[in-house]
Amino acid sequence: MGPLWVWLFFNEMPATETFAGGALVLAAILGNIVVELRARPTAETALSGNPVALV
């Protein structure tokens, strides 16, 4: 967030690579969240008693 604050408050323009790197980090975080949400067992499989579904 540092480059964003400098850009907003001091009108210093960060390099294009800074924005590209930030976008890459945000995409990786969002991708990780999506993978974790898909891997969670649903309420239906958790209540079925199937031990494999709970792993």
Side-chain angles (χ1 to χ4, degrees), residues 18-47:
T18 303
F19 289 114
L24 182 66
V25 169
L26 288 176
I29 291 170
L30 291 174
N32 190 10
I33 290 171
V34 168
V35 169
E36 285 184 10
L37 288 175
R38 287 184 174 203
R40 282 190 183 168
T42 63
E44 188 174 292
T45 57
L47 295 176

